[in-house]
């Protein structure tokens, strides 16, 4: 049993005692054995149990795809929508009731192909929804076609001679829309993933969490080269606000940003010490952009919270504007509005407008 | 109308059709609105038809840049803007040129002579005049024409005012308004009020426009002498007592939503995307932030409908508005609301299609699309308001049914209703019944797909209620339990129960009423916006003694309970609609009755003559076939023909 006092979005500060089990809907989970979605499901249940938000305030909205079955497995309010439209559905929910903690579960096909437009606009508006984008670089539910994040040369059922399209980068897409919260995580890295989910849950505004998710059935070990257990500490870098960009099993490597470009350096070599390493600032858009542009194999793959800033959310501005206009114009008077330019007809005769 | 304009004394007539046409940049719509308001205040009933060019800034003086405004007004129940005008004001050659084809001999035409010069004939591409094959006077010989040098007149009237020549010329609309106000004996006060308000910050322009208006009015006295034109008195209409305003369909939708917000116990979320001719609804509602109205402009039509569905899932009432192309994009979303059985209102202001079609023109071509334009068996409620003012009530009807039956409702209006306007008796807001957005609250016995015994609706839960956490979505669900289900029997059952649920809404809709003599043998059946035209044509046919009646559908799905009984009473049903026979297909498919179609798709409303002609033709046919109970003498409407419509039997 966990007891937390985290102030969740829109919820009164309170002590709630939940275990991950409390978020299990009891539904049989139907992903393939070994699917990365299981780990993410565990991480989400753990995170939700710790967030101090009453269970009934959570809503999970999804689109179509393997990941989009997610809501059925969580004992909260859930809406399994249609392909690509989850951010739009979630926007309606959040606007109707800003007090709810609204989550979108989507995939690389659902979120970046058919639903790319909605994803972009949700981020641009900074509406208070949390988007978990499960990226397995493949279409799983339709049995193995290439997706917008598939890499060049990837052989799939619909690209038997190799993909010739350049992959989409969801983190850069989010940055281009000045997202107020962007993070990246790896499916089986449950501890860090659930921590990121908690942070996303606390964030006011749109949060995008890009999760590398293994699909053993159609794109096995796609991330093994940098996310495999053996290599993760060497081939990824966890960015932390206010901390130097250091990585490696022995914490012996770092990133120095110079002339607008990242450079890998070795601590102790050429007189480099920790002081020379760039300190990460999650609010610095230019630094966020430079780090988000780093990808394996040229660089360690960045994970962690890449960007976080507090800006007014869409729902805050909407409800503020309503109050503001009420103050400026006076609370709307329906009769006055309907009766504008009206005239009175008295028994048979037509007299003047009043 | 038989020549009321000329002669000794001023005459009193029942109704007049006037049309104002000019360059779209010339403020024709403002002109029309002002004339309409003074007509309303004078005490006539009326109906209007504004027509806009498709281009936002079409080149001045061209035929495709002409904007026009037609109004029929009078002392009787005016049901339509009328066919061909009795009076036409043409502000330039292009405006005259495009209207000539639709004028009766003897029409009173007023032209601004200053604009009828070579440059403007060129812009209007009036070849026969430019090449000297005919001249303007020959063309106008069949009509009564008043040529007024409006530009010169206003410049003269304003010569001592210190404003630019251009600003002086601009006042000519008010000059024309003054003149037409004199001809029809309209009061100037409402127009003066408007001028004072509009130019309150620029007293000199206020003065200029006031003077122009009065100069136009006074000019009327001189035409009385020189053209022997008489002031026309038009009988006042005896409206039912009450408070009235002038309202367009889009205003009625927006005001309906605003009024609904006051009458409903739950939040409303209006979510839309700009599209002609529905954007105005969004504009009006966006303006009403101080009413606490949530009006969202989403990134596309798809997002608009899906955010409305999200709002409904959360426990608000989601509403969206669009036109044909947008309805195409919303299909998938509407289906999601059918499957999840959530309330949703979709307003479709139909316009000419397919594809982009003619965005500013009207049509009733989305009927089958609203009914069946979704994959799978996807029943929902379809309401078709019958007048601009009726759009207000349609919102309330839609909200009540959407919530009671947990279903999407499509409101099928069209461009004609949306932008046309009529005098509307404002309902007493206190008398409108409150709508209860009842949520399910019992945590012990909750299953998401249990059904109400009477309505078959499933429970609606406000998201955020402890103990009622549940999951729904687009996958087929087991009845009662709401679990994902691929069970063949369950699917068969659910498909049928969704259809039955909509059928049960029959219990909440009005019976189909028949207007006409008890011995009528031909029934004119219409739906939606054509009400006024069909009713007017049937009234005149009945006056001629023809055994004809009119019934009008306001609900397409479900159809009224008594429809079969009504249809069976007639020898033949003439289904009149602005499409190629969509309601006709339904009627023939559902009832064994003798039904034929009257169809037109010109992008404009029916003309009364077209309908009268079709009624006469059909009566002659019935008579020839020996189906009438007594032989009747039908005069064909040949002398009134000349329309674009070819009567078609489907
Ligand atoms: S296809 Fe891939 S993503 Fe889908 S459930 Fe199976 S392993 Fe998971």
């Amino acid at each position: 049993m966990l007891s937390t006092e985290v102030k969740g979005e829109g919820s009164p500060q309170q002590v709630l005692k939940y275990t991950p089990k409390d978020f299990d809907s009891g539904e049989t989970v139907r992903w393939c054995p070994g699917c990365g979605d299981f780990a993410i499901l565990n991480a989400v249940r753990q995170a939700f149990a710790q967030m101090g938000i009453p269970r009934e305030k959570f809503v999970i909205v999804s689109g179509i795809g393997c990941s989009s079955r997610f809501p059925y497995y969580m004992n909260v309010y859930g809406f399994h929508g249609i392909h690509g439209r989850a951010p739009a559905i979630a926007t309606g929910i959040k606007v109707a009731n800003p007090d709810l903690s609204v989550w979108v579960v989507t995939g690389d096909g659902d979120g970046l192909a058919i639903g790319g437009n909605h994803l972009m606009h949700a981020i641009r508006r900074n509406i208070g929804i949390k988007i978990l984008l499960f990226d397995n670089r493949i279409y799983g539910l339709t049995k193995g076609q290439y997706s917008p994040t598939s890499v060049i040369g990837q052989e799939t059922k619909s690209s038997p001679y190799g993909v010739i399209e350049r992959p989409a980068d969801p983190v850069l897409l989010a940055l281009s829309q000045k997202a107020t919260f962007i993070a990246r995580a790896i499916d089986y890295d449950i501890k860090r993933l659930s921590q990121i989910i908690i942070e996303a849950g606390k964030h006011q505004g749109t949060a995008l969490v890009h999760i590398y998710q293994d699909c053993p059935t159609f794109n096995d070990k796609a991330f093994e080269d940098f996310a495999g257990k053996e290599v993760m500490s060497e081939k990824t870098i966890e960015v932390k606000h206010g901390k130097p960009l250091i990585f490696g099993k022995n914490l012996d490597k770092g990133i120095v940003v110079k002339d607008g470009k990242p450079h890998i350096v070795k601590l102790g070599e050429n007189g480099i010490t920790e002081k020379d390493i760039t300190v990460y600032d999650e609010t610095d858009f230019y630094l966020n952009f430079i780090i988000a542009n780093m990808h394996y194999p040229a660089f360690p793959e960045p994970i962690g919270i890449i960007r976080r800033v507090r800006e007014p959310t869409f729902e805050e501005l909407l409800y503020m504007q309503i109050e503001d206009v009420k103050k400026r114009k006076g609370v709307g008077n329906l009769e006055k509005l309907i009766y504008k330019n009206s005239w009175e007809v008295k028994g048979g005769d037509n007299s003047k407008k009043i | 109308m038989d020549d009321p304009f000329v002669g000794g004394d001023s005459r009193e007539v029942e109704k007049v059709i006037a049309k104002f046409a000019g360059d779209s940049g010339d403020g024709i719509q403002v002109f029309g609105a002002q004339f309409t308001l003074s007509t309303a205040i004078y005490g006539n009933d009326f109906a209007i038809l504004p027509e806009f060019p498709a281009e936002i800034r079409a080149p001045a003086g061209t035929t495709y840049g002409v904007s026009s405004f037609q109004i029929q007004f009078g002392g009787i129940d005016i049901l339509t803007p009328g066919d061909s005008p009795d009076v036409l004001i043409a502000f330039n050659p292009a405006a005259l040129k495009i209207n000539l084809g639709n004028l009766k001999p003897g029409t009173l035409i007023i032209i601004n002579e200053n604009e009828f010069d070579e440059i403007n004939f060129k812009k209007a591409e009036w070849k026969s005049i430019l090449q000297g094959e005919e001249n303007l006077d020959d063309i106008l010989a069949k009509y009564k024409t008043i040529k007024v040098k409006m530009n010169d007149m206003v410049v003269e009237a304003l010569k001592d005012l210190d404003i630019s020549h251009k600003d002086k010329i601009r006042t000519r609309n008010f000059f024309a308004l003054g003149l037409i106000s004199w001809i029809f004996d309209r009061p100037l006060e409402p127009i003066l009020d408007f001028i004072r308000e509009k130019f309150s910050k620029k007293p000199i322009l206020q003065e200029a426009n006031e003077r122009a208006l009065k100069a136009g009015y006074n000019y009327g006295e001189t035409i009385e002498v020189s053209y022997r034109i008489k002031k026309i008195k038009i009988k006042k209409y005896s409206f039912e007592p009450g408070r009235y305003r002038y309202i367009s369909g889009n205003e009625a939708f927006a005001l309906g939503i605003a009024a609904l917000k006051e009458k409903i116990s739950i939040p409303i979320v209006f979510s839309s995307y700009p599209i002609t001719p529905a954007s105005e609804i969004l504009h009006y509602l966006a303006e009403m932030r101080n009413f606490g109205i949530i009006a969202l402009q989403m990134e596309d039509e798809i997002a608009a409908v899906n955010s409305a569905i999200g709002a409904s899932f959360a426990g608000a009432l989601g509403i969206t508005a669009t036109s044909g192309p947008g309805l195409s994009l919303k299909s998938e979303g509407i289906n999601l609301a059918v499957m999840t059985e959530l309330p949703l209102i979709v307003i479709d202001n139909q316009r000419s299609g397919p594809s982009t079609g003619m965005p500013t023109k009207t049509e009733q071509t989305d009927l089958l699309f609203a009914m069946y334009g979704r994959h799978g068996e996807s029943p929902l409620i379809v309401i078709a308001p019958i007048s601009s003012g009726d759009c207000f009530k349609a919102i309330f009807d839609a909200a009540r049914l959407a919530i009671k039956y947990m279903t999407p409702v499509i409101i099928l209006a069209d461009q004609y209703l949306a932008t046309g306007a009529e005098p509307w008796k404002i309902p007493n807001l206190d008398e409108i019944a409150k709508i209860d957005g009842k949520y399910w609250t019992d945590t012990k016995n909750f299953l998401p797909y249990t059904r109400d015994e009477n309505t078959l609706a499933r429970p609606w839960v406000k998201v955020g209620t402890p103990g009622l956490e549940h999951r729904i979505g687009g996958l087929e669900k087991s009845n009662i339990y709401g679990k994902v289900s691929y069970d063949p029997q369950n699917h068969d059952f659910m498909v049928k129960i969704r259809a039955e649920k909509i059928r049960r809404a029959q219990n909440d809709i009005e019976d189909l009423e028949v207007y006409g003599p008890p011995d009528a043998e031909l029934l004119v059946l219409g739906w939606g916006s054509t009400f006024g035209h069909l009713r007017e044509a049937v009234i005149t046919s009945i006056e001629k003694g023809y055994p004809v009646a009119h019934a009008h559908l306001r609900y397409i799905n479900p159809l009224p309970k008594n429809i079969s009984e009504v249809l069976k009473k007639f020898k033949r049903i003439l289904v009149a609609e602005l499409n190629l026979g969509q309601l006709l297909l339904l009627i023939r498919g559902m009832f064994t009755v003798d039904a034929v179609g009257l169809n037109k798709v010109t992008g404009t409303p029916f003309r009364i003559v077209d309908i009268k002609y079709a009624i006469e033709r059909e009566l002659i046919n019935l008579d020839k076939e020996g189906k009438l109970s007594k032989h009747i003498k039908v005069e064909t409407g040949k002398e009134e023909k000349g329309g674009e419509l070819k009567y078609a039997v489907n």
Side-chain angles (χ1 to χ4, degrees):
Chain A
M1 284 253 170
L2 289 155
S3 157
T4 62
E5 279 183 68
V6 183
K7 168 96 169 70
E9 180 155 5
S11 71
Q13 190 147 347
Q14 56 187 300
V15 179
L16 288 164
K17 294 185 179 187
Y18 289 126
T19 67
K21 193 100 199 55
D22 292 321
F23 289 90
D24 181 350
S25 68
E27 210 68 49
T28 317
V29 183
R30 287 164 197 262
W31 290 308
C32 309
C35 175
D37 290 357
F38 285 100
I40 305 175
L41 180 62
N42 282 339
V44 172
R45 284 178 183 166
Q46 282 186 20
F48 278 21
Q50 293 176 60
M51 283 167 61
I53 296 176
R55 193 170 62 187
E56 66 275 10
K57 301 270 182 192
F58 284 106
V59 195
I60 304 181
V61 186
S62 65
I64 297 293
C66 291
S67 60
S68 290
R69 293 297 181 94
F70 204 93
Y72 292 119
Y73 309 137
M74 292 289 296
N75 187 16
V76 296
Y77 283 96
F79 196 86
H80 181 202
I82 42 179
H83 208 10
R85 317 302 171 207
I89 297 167
T91 297
I93 296 173
K94 186 70 184 177
V95 164
N97 185 356
D99 196 31
L100 300 170
S101 179
V102 184
W103 296 73
V104 167
V105 171
T106 183
D108 39 321
D110 190 62
L112 295 170
I114 194 165
N117 195 33
H118 308 305
L119 184 74
M120 169 181 140
H121 289 282
I123 293 170
R124 176 179 67 78
R125 285 189 192 102
N126 199 29
I127 175 97
I129 61 178
K130 328 296 165 204
I131 303 165
L132 308 180
L133 193 148
F134 298 13
D135 183 1
N136 56 10
R137 296 185 175 167
I138 196 83
Y139 282 90
L141 193 68
T142 49
K143 301 193 165 62
Q145 300 81 9
Y146 71 94
S147 89
T149 52
S150 292
V151 294
I152 289 187
Q154 191 172 322
E155 288 171 19
T156 71
K157 277 191 191 142
S158 56
S159 60
Y161 307 110
V163 167
I164 54 173
E165 299 174 23
R166 293 184 300 162
D169 184 330
V171 169
L172 286 182
L173 172 79
L175 266 175
S176 76
Q177 300 310 307
K178 298 268 172 82
T180 55
F181 185 104
I182 308 170
R184 184 183 282 128
I186 289 157
D187 51 7
Y188 74 88
D189 187 7
I190 294 179
K191 220 174 123 200
R192 281 194 288 193
L193 174 57
S194 66
Q195 204 49 49
I196 282 176
I197 291 168
I198 290 171
E199 294 303 317
K202 282 197 281 189
H203 178 69
Q204 311 273 322
T206 311
L208 178 81
V209 183
H210 179 214
I211 307 168
Y212 285 127
Q213 174 241 319
D214 202 34
C215 169
T217 307
F218 293 110
N219 195 17
D220 194 21
K221 303 204 168 26
F223 311 105
E224 196 68 3
D225 290 352
F226 61 86
K229 276 202 181 69
E230 303 301 311
V231 294
M232 194 201 269
S233 48
E234 283 295 317
K235 307 284 167 71
T236 64
I237 177 167
E238 186 185 5
V239 298
K240 284 185 183 160
H241 182 62
K243 297 269 155 54
L245 292 165
I246 290 176
F247 67 104
K249 203 185 262 163
N250 305 318
L251 299 175
D252 56 348
K253 289 190 269 300
I255 299 289
V256 173
V257 175
K258 223 178 120 193
D259 302 330
K261 289 195 185 96
H263 304 270
I264 301 174
V265 294
K266 264 200 131 167
L267 286 159
E269 261 178 31
N270 304 322
I272 299 237
T273 68
E274 208 184 297
K275 271 193 263 153
D276 301 308
I277 307 296
T278 301
V279 172
Y280 197 63
D281 180 350
E282 64 188 15
T283 68
D284 179 344
F285 181 74
Y286 297 98
L287 186 57
N288 302 157
F289 190 74
I290 291 163
I291 297 305
N293 256 309
M294 301 196 317
H295 281 298
Y296 178 82
F299 290 97
E301 188 76 18
I303 57 174
I305 296 168
I306 293 168
R307 179 171 169 79
R308 172 161 53 185
V309 288
R310 175 70 168 103
E311 279 176 26
T313 68
F314 178 76
E315 64 277 13
E316 283 169 348
L317 292 172
L318 175 68
Y319 284 92
M320 259 167 54
Q321 191 172 63
I322 288 174
E323 291 315 309
D324 182 51
V325 180
K326 277 183 187 166
K327 247 181 245 146
R328 271 195 298 126
K329 292 174 79 173
V331 175
N333 179 328
L334 184 66
E335 292 210 353
K336 227 168 116 191
L337 185 72
I338 293 193
Y339 281 43
K340 196 177 163 197
N341 286 333
S342 68
W343 62 92
E344 184 80 31
V345 175
K346 291 185 197 113
D349 119 273
N350 305 282
S351 47
K352 282 203 170 171
K353 149 170 92 153
I354 297 159
Chain B
M1 195 181 68
D2 59 335
D3 225 351
F5 299 108
V6 201
D9 305 315
S10 66
R11 313 238 312 258
E12 199 172 52
V13 299
E14 270 191 336
K15 56 177 185 174
V16 171
I17 302 165
K19 186 169 190 177
F20 318 121
D23 210 63
S24 59
D26 277 350
I28 298 298
Q29 301 306 326
V30 176
F31 184 106
Q34 285 310 308
F35 184 75
T36 306
L37 192 60
S38 54
T39 289
I41 288 164
Y42 176 79
N44 291 134
D45 194 11
F46 63 84
I48 64 160
L49 179 68
E51 285 180 290
F52 316 93
E55 286 78 13
I56 304 295
R57 294 263 184 271
T62 59
T63 50
Y64 49 93
V66 173
S67 171
S68 66
F69 188 99
Q70 183 161 317
I71 176 168
Q72 176 162 217
F73 54 105
I76 55 166
D77 191 6
I78 301 291
L79 295 162
T80 71
D83 293 350
S84 164
D86 303 306
V87 183
L88 170 72
I89 302 185
F91 286 95
N92 66 15
L96 178 64
K97 188 183 170 200
I98 61 165
N99 278 294
L100 279 175
N102 188 33
L103 295 181
K104 299 169 295 209
T107 300
L108 175 65
I109 299 178
I110 300 170
I111 62 170
N112 178 5
E113 206 180 354
N114 288 117
E115 297 294 320
F116 281 68
D117 57 11
E118 187 158 346
I119 297 172
N120 282 330
F121 282 121
K122 270 193 190 139
K123 286 185 186 161
E125 295 180 28
W126 206 325
K127 293 214 181 74
S128 59
I129 290 183
L130 291 167
Q131 290 163 2
E133 284 158 21
E134 50 182 352
N135 67 42
L136 189 62
D137 289 333
D138 296 341
I139 294 169
L140 294 174
K142 307 191 249 187
Y143 313 106
K144 266 184 298 295
T145 309
I146 303 177
K147 296 182 192 167
V148 195
K149 292 196 163 104
M150 295 187 194
N151 301 9
D152 297 353
M153 307 279 303
V154 293
V155 169
E156 174 63 23
L158 308 178
K159 65 177 177 228
D160 59 321
L161 281 189
D162 185 21
I163 53 171
S164 69
H165 184 73
K166 224 172 143 191
D167 279 342
K168 285 179 184 167
I169 300 286
R170 272 213 193 108
T171 64
R172 67 191 171 191
N173 277 8
F174 285 100
F175 178 90
L177 257 176
L179 175 57
I180 192 107
S181 298
W182 178 84
I183 293 177
F184 294 116
D185 200 22
R186 305 285 95 161
L188 292 183
E189 280 73 32
I191 306 170
L192 286 168
D193 284 350
F194 171 79
I195 292 173
R196 284 174 200 137
E197 197 186 314
K198 180 160 184 200
F199 301 105
S200 62
K201 296 221 175 74
K202 291 191 183 127
I204 192 149
L205 290 183
Q206 189 181 315
E207 162 91 23
N209 284 295
E210 268 191 53
R211 273 205 216 170
L213 180 73
K214 285 175 184 161
Y217 194 86
N218 295 337
Y219 183 72
E221 311 281 342
T222 66
I223 60 166
E224 186 171 15
V225 181
S226 49
Y227 288 89
R228 298 185 54 246
I229 295 285
K230 283 286 167 193
K231 225 176 194 173
I232 313 293
K233 284 230 180 286
I234 296 163
K235 287 191 187 115
K236 292 185 178 182
Y237 179 63
S238 52
F239 285 97
E240 237 178 83
R243 194 164 262 284
Y244 285 77
R245 63 168 283 164
Y246 150 62
I247 201 163
S248 72
N250 280 339
E251 279 174 319
F253 279 133
L255 289 175
I257 290 167
L260 180 66
K261 188 184 171 290
E262 316 263 306
K263 290 286 175 183
I264 200 165
S265 58
I266 56 168
I268 293 175
V269 173
F270 177 83
S271 188
S272 187
Y273 183 76
I275 187 167
T276 303
S279 307
E280 269 176 1
I281 306 171
L282 174 63
H283 304 170
Y284 291 127
L285 292 170
E287 175 91 32
M288 292 183 215
R289 284 270 203 261
N290 55 332
F291 288 76
I293 284 182
I294 297 176
L296 306 179
Q297 177 178 320
M298 293 300 287
E299 59 270 21
D300 57 28
E301 295 279 359
I302 297 170
V305 71
N306 281 288
S307 53
I309 292 168
S312 288
F313 174 63
L317 176 62
I319 306 180
T320 185
T322 189
S323 185
L327 191 65
S328 295
L329 288 164
K330 289 182 197 301
S331 268
E332 193 197 19
I334 296 170
N335 240 353
L336 177 64
V338 169
M339 194 59 152
T340 50
E341 302 190 36
L342 283 170
L344 171 74
I345 300 177
V346 181
I347 299 167
D348 175 21
N349 282 342
Q350 300 167 92
R351 69 186 215 193
S352 299
S355 189
T356 313
M358 302 192 288
T360 56
K361 300 287 168 190
T362 200
E363 232 165 65
Q364 293 184 299
T365 40
D366 294 351
L367 178 127
L368 290 177
F369 186 51
M371 287 290 290
Y372 302 116
R374 294 168 298 284
H375 63 279
E377 294 287 354
S378 176
L380 45 67
I381 292 174
V382 181
I383 303 181
I386 63 169
S387 68
S388 296
D390 188 35
C391 296
F392 183 91
K393 186 168 181 291
I395 288 288
F396 277 84
D397 293 337
R400 245 180 263 281
L401 293 171
I403 292 170
K404 184 164 180 183
Y405 291 92
M406 293 292 281
T407 176
V409 176
I410 293 181
I411 302 180
L412 271 186
D414 55 29
Q415 189 271 343
Y416 169 69
L417 291 191
T419 61
E422 58 167 359
W424 176 63
K425 188 171 174 214
I426 302 169
N428 185 339
L429 297 174
D430 297 333
E431 280 169 16
I432 299 176
K434 288 216 158 36
I435 297 182
D436 190 14
K438 50 181 166 35
Y439 302 124
W440 183 277
T441 49
D442 175 2
T443 50
K444 290 219 177 59
N445 303 302
F446 173 67
L447 288 166
Y449 278 79
T450 43
R451 293 186 183 277
D452 181 276
E453 251 175 71
N454 297 316
T455 63
L456 300 179
R458 69 170 195 88
W460 192 17
V461 171
K462 184 175 194 232
V463 171
T465 311
L468 294 178
E469 295 85 355
H470 67 285
R471 279 108 356 232
I472 57 172
L475 285 170
E476 182 66 285
K477 298 292 186 294
S478 59
N479 195 41
I480 303 173
Y481 301 98
K483 303 274 179 202
V484 174
S485 168
Y486 284 82
D487 178 67
Q489 298 312 320
N490 176 71
H491 178 57
D492 185 65
F493 179 80
M494 291 295 268
V495 165
K496 287 173 183 161
I497 208 158
R498 284 188 288 261
E500 172 62 15
K501 185 176 78 164
I502 300 304
R503 204 192 57 77
R504 290 207 185 173
Q506 271 189 336
N507 297 327
D508 286 283
I509 69 174
E510 312 95 46
D511 269 354
L512 184 61
E513 275 176 28
V514 177
Y515 174 90
D519 58 347
E521 313 210 48
L522 176 69
L523 179 74
V524 177
L525 181 69
W527 64 275
S529 70
T530 55
F531 174 83
H533 296 85
L534 300 182
R535 182 58 56 95
E536 189 175 329
V538 168
I539 288 173
T540 47
S541 300
I542 291 171
E543 280 166 2
K544 284 191 183 172
Y546 299 151
V548 59
H550 175 214
H552 211 78
L553 291 171
R554 196 169 170 273
Y555 285 90
I556 309 296
N557 204 31
L559 288 164
K561 252 186 194 162
N562 67 334
I563 183 168
S564 167
E565 193 190 310
V566 167
L567 299 183
K568 278 183 188 144
K569 281 190 197 139
F570 294 89
K571 301 278 163 39
R572 183 159 293 163
I573 318 295
L574 178 63
V575 182
E577 48 188 335
L578 301 174
N579 58 40
L580 291 185
Q582 301 195 10
L583 177 64
L584 179 68
L585 187 70
L586 292 185
I587 295 292
R588 282 182 175 168
M590 287 192 262
F591 310 100
T592 43
V593 290
D594 178 354
V596 298
L598 169 64
N599 306 98
K600 108 163 184 170
V601 273
T602 53
T604 51
F606 276 123
R607 299 182 332 148
I608 306 302
V609 291
D610 299 332
I611 307 161
K612 284 199 288 197
Y613 187 51
I615 290 171
E616 285 154 8
R617 281 288 304 267
E618 220 35 72
L619 286 170
I620 291 169
N621 287 344
L622 280 171
D623 201 14
K624 274 191 205 147
E625 294 160 28
K627 287 182 179 152
L628 292 184
S629 43
K630 57 174 187 259
H631 179 71
I632 54 156
K633 197 174 162 288
V634 176
E635 304 158 30
T636 59
K638 264 179 207 139
E639 73 280 2
E640 282 184 294
K641 223 175 29 184
E644 69 269 45
L645 178 85
K646 299 288 168 286
Y647 169 62
V649 178
N650 261 287

